[in-house]
Amino acid sequence: MALWEWPLSSEKEAKRPKFVELRSSKWFIMFVVAFATGTDIFMYGLIVPVTPTALKDRVGIAEGDVQSWTSILLALYSAALLAFAPVVGYVADRAESRRWPLLVGLIALAAATALLCVGTHIGLWIVGRLFQGAAAAVVWTAGLALMVDTVGKDDLGQAIGYVSMAISVGTLAGPLLGGVVYEHGGYYAVFGLAFAFIALDIVLRLILIERRHAIKWLSPEMTPLSVHGTKYTEKKSGETLDHPRSPTIGSEPREPQTPSAPSRSAFERVAILLSSPRLVVSVWGYFILSLVLTSFDSVLPLFVQDTFQWQQTGQGLVFIPLMVPHLLDPLTGYIIDTYPKSCRYITTAAFLASVPVLVLLRFVTHNSMQQKILLCALLACVGLCVAVAMPPLIVEVSLAVKEKEDRTPDIFGRGGAMALAFGLSNMGFAAGSLIGPFFAGFIRQEAGWGTMGWALGLITGISSIPVLLFVGGWILGKPAKSEDEVQETNAAPGP
């Protein structure tokens, strides 16, 4: 039997897969999603050190145009992510399985890597970068939706923290390993490493079994919790097994329980999602964090080169202080799981704390050991603020969708809208990564490094206001009832 099993096989026809408990376990699925997202961003960064030389020596781009084409290729990645994220989200919600979109995304990533590997024409590099952006849209959208489907609400923040940490590690490891392997092993050695990661990713995604498809083989005590905190359920003997997309499974209604459930188009679902201030603010916050992080991509290497005379190695290593604090992302997730109402204040505090840190960048002005230490310390503080703010904003996306569905069951129609919501949040991230390098680069070029710092600080400071007001719901609104309170109310006898 193949490594995968058809998810919609009847209970009589389906054969119990080997190691189903492990393959559908919460921690294995968390690892697969974290590895997938980390691998995707790792592939993006792996060829960054290779690109300038490859464009010059293999593609034949004139030396004076290499910098422009490098920036254009980076922008194409973000543009593809921006364009494909909502489409992938809609398709993933309609699909019978989250795993198949993930596999399609992996195929796109493999195609992108192959095009870049053999690319001796700029057209192949353009298509390759577009494929990379499309693959990222699939992995980040369908992967996060699968995570929400799998992990109970009590552990969702910590699970998102692991994914965020994997993304940060991939962001850091990609350029570093790419540079080292390229220097010592050559051009094709870099892509050999890339294909090795893709092969491992393929194996992991084929082994994975979604928990809602494994329910018929799991013992009752292993039956997973949905993000609502309720158990996955099967009907008793003699009745038809609940459809894998039923509202009792996952974080959102997958299949309407009644024939009267509305059929929603993609535009209707997007309009309903954007009517939630919680979701809009979450997307905006994700956009701001992306803008801040990617702003350093374009200005930091040039700044340390001009100020400290650091060459390529130093220009790559200076990003370490910015990324290391993301190892604390699971801790942030644990805190918001333990204290759900803290999301609003943790995120607001992180946005506000980043303001003085970004403004203080203006005091890094000359070449000395003290100035180098100051820059690294400030970058670490920026990274810490982002690491604290990112997990709550991602979790808030799923909670905003759940709030809509709690108020109006089947509001999104068949399949729900969880993946689409993450598609919108990824659009925010992509827009930030598209605008950030140009925004910071223009300000530094025209007004200087110090002005760039306070401009970023001003944006994050202003953004803390809607975060405070709407993350977790309108700050002056009535607190939502807990699951237990809702169940007690429904169970209370009538008059």
Side-chain angles (χ1 to χ4, degrees):
M1 188 174 182
L3 285 175
W4 62 89
E5 287 72 30
W6 294 107
L8 297 181
S9 296
S10 68
E11 192 167 7
K12 292 181 179 180
E13 296 174 348
K15 181 180 178 181
R16 191 178 194 275
K18 294 181 179 180
F19 310 112
V20 62
E21 292 85 359
L22 173 63
R23 294 166 60 184
S24 63
S25 66
K26 177 177 67 175
W27 292 106
F28 179 73
I29 293 177
M30 286 173 54
F31 173 77
V32 172
V33 174
F35 186 85
T37 53
T39 297
D40 179 85
I41 198 68
F42 175 79
M43 295 298 181
Y44 167 81
L46 186 67
I47 65 169
V48 167
V50 179
T51 301
T53 305
L55 290 178
K56 180 181 175 183
D57 297 341
R58 292 175 59 84
V59 181
I61 300 296
E63 187 170 356
D65 297 329
V66 168
Q67 180 62 62
S68 299
W69 274 109
T70 300
S71 301
I72 290 171
L73 290 172
L74 291 174
L76 287 173
Y77 173 91
S78 300
L81 176 58
L82 180 66
F84 279 93
V87 177
V88 170
Y90 179 75
V91 172
D93 282 326
R94 305 282 290 181
E96 296 295 344
S97 172
R98 303 287 196 200
R99 188 178 62 169
W100 297 117
L102 284 174
L103 288 171
V104 172
L106 192 54
I107 293 172
L109 182 59
T113 306
L115 287 170
L116 296 173
C117 179
V118 303
T120 55
H121 188 277
I122 191 62
L124 295 176
W125 279 76
I126 291 174
V127 176
R129 274 305 195 184
L130 290 174
F131 269 52
Q132 274 193 330
V138 175
V139 172
W140 294 11
T141 300
L144 288 175
L146 174 60
M147 182 77 77
V148 174
D149 289 347
T150 303
V151 181
K153 66 174 183 178
D154 293 336
D155 298 320
L156 183 57
Q158 192 172 9
I160 295 297
Y162 282 113
V163 173
S164 180
M165 181 181 70
I167 292 173
S168 302
V169 171
T171 303
L172 175 63
L176 290 180
L177 284 179
V180 172
V181 173
Y182 184 48
E183 182 177 353
H184 294 90
Y187 181 83
Y188 289 106
V190 174
F191 289 94
L193 179 62
F195 284 117
F197 270 89
I198 291 174
L200 179 56
D201 207 355
I202 288 174
V203 173
L204 290 174
R205 296 192 203 185
L206 289 176
I207 289 175
L208 180 146
I209 300 176
E210 293 180 59
R211 300 206 79 177
R212 63 173 175 270
H213 298 153
I215 181 176
K216 64 176 69 68
W217 297 295
L218 296 178
S219 56
E221 60 271 16
M222 292 188 63
T223 302
L225 290 173
S226 73
V227 76
H228 293 267
T230 57
K231 286 280 188 179
Y232 287 74
T233 60
E234 285 187 287
K235 294 186 178 181
K236 295 180 180 180
S237 177
E239 295 183 75
T240 304
L241 179 68
D242 281 351
H243 192 281
R245 290 287 198 170
S246 70
T248 59
I249 297 178
S251 60
E252 79 275 6
R254 295 291 181 198
E255 189 80 30
Q257 284 185 315
T258 63
S260 60
S263 177
R264 302 288 189 186
S265 67
F267 294 104
E268 290 175 320
R269 297 182 191 214
V270 169
I272 294 171
L273 287 171
L274 294 181
S275 68
S276 168
R278 294 180 67 175
L279 188 131
V280 172
V281 170
S282 299
V283 174
W284 174 258
Y286 210 31
F287 164 78
I288 295 299
L289 295 181
S290 173
L291 185 145
V292 171
L293 279 178
T294 57
S295 290
F296 289 101
D297 289 346
S298 63
V299 300
L300 193 55
L302 294 175
F303 176 77
V304 297
Q305 182 182 42
D306 296 341
T307 307
F308 304 141
Q309 286 75 55
W310 285 357
Q311 300 305 311
Q312 290 183 343
T313 301
Q315 294 171 25
L317 293 176
V318 75
F319 284 93
I320 292 180
L322 199 61
M323 296 301 171
V324 166
H326 285 271
L327 295 175
L328 299 176
D329 282 349
L331 177 60
T332 303
Y334 174 78
I335 293 173
I336 62 178
D337 285 336
T338 307
Y339 307 100
K341 295 182 180 179
S342 66
C343 282
R344 181 195 312 274
Y345 306 105
I346 287 177
T347 312
T348 303
F351 271 76
L352 288 175
S354 67
V355 176
V357 176
L358 291 166
V359 172
L360 287 174
L361 288 172
R362 69 187 303 107
F363 292 107
V364 181
T365 56
H366 58 276
N367 189 0
S368 70
M369 181 58 67
Q370 290 80 6
Q371 293 279 283
K372 295 173 184 176
I373 293 174
L374 176 61
L375 175 63
C376 292
L378 291 174
L379 291 177
C381 291
V382 172
L384 180 61
C385 292
V386 175
V388 170
M390 190 171 289
L393 288 175
I394 299 176
V395 171
E396 184 71 4
V397 172
S398 66
L399 296 179
V401 176
K402 177 181 177 296
E403 182 183 59
K404 282 285 186 183
E405 292 172 336
D406 285 346
R407 292 179 178 177
T408 310
D410 294 324
I411 186 174
F412 297 109
R414 180 182 182 274
M418 187 62 70
L420 181 59
F422 280 119
L424 294 177
S425 71
N426 287 329
M427 284 184 68
F429 184 89
S433 64
L434 189 60
I435 296 173
F438 294 102
F439 173 82
F442 175 79
I443 294 179
R444 179 178 179 267
Q445 183 177 351
E446 298 297 326
W449 167 261
T451 303
M452 181 214 72
W454 72 251
L456 292 175
L458 180 64
I459 292 174
T460 56
I462 293 175
S463 298
S464 68
I465 298 174
V467 167
L468 175 65
L469 295 178
F470 291 104
V471 168
W474 171 237
I475 192 171
L476 299 180
K478 295 181 180 180
K481 291 184 178 181
S482 66
E483 296 282 348
D484 293 337
E485 291 173 337
V486 173
Q487 293 177 2
E488 289 175 3
T489 301
N490 294 336

